[in-house]
Amino acid sequence: SDSLSQFSLIGNIKNLKDAFPKAKIEVVFHGGGILMLVSDKTKYTKELQDYVTNKEVALVACQNTMRARKITKEMLLPFVGTVPSGVAEIVIKQDKGWAYLKGGQ
């Protein structure tokens, strides 16, 4: 379920930060996962905001998914960024040496 995937993602981030405290993490939300960033749909506002506030994690939403699902920037949590294409963002980061981990389930 979506809520189980969201819970799992929070656990994945915590476990990675525990193992590698200095790791730079960017979570790219696309497809159905983007709902975790929509203000009136997410159950994890505080956890996500804490990660961003502590500069531990960057959260970005795919603008292609936003357009397809009619989600505006104003509907997202205020501390979330956007990227033109979630898939392209992942490819760009991998090209720069970042590791890719599929979050959630």
Side-chain angles (χ1 to χ4, degrees):
S1 80
D2 284 346
S3 59
L4 189 55
S5 290
Q6 291 179 11
F7 176 78
S8 180
L9 174 65
I10 296 294
N12 291 162
I13 294 170
K14 181 188 180 313
N15 292 341
L16 189 58
K17 290 305 290 185
D18 287 348
F20 301 102
K22 295 185 187 296
K24 287 172 62 177
I25 299 173
E26 180 180 76
V27 183
V28 180
F29 292 83
H30 57 94
I34 202 167
L35 294 179
M36 191 170 182
L37 300 181
V38 175
S39 297
D40 65 353
K41 304 259 188 250
T42 187
K43 297 177 180 137
Y44 294 99
T45 301
K46 183 186 179 335
E47 292 87 345
L48 295 173
Q49 185 162 20
D50 287 348
Y51 283 130
V52 172
T53 300
N54 296 329
K55 301 197 180 346
E56 295 178 336
V57 180
L59 308 173
V60 296
C62 169
Q63 292 172 2
N64 290 331
T65 299
M66 290 170 66
R67 268 192 302 282
R69 294 176 179 253
K70 297 183 177 22
I71 296 170
T72 65
K73 175 81 171 132
E74 294 72 31
M75 294 165 74
L76 298 177
L77 297 169
F79 48 85
V80 170
T82 63
V83 293
S85 165
V87 174
E89 179 71 4
I90 292 166
V91 170
I92 290 165
K93 286 294 199 265
Q94 284 184 294
D95 191 51
K96 292 180 177 180
W98 288 53
Y100 169 72
L101 300 171
K102 184 178 186 321
Q105 286 202 295

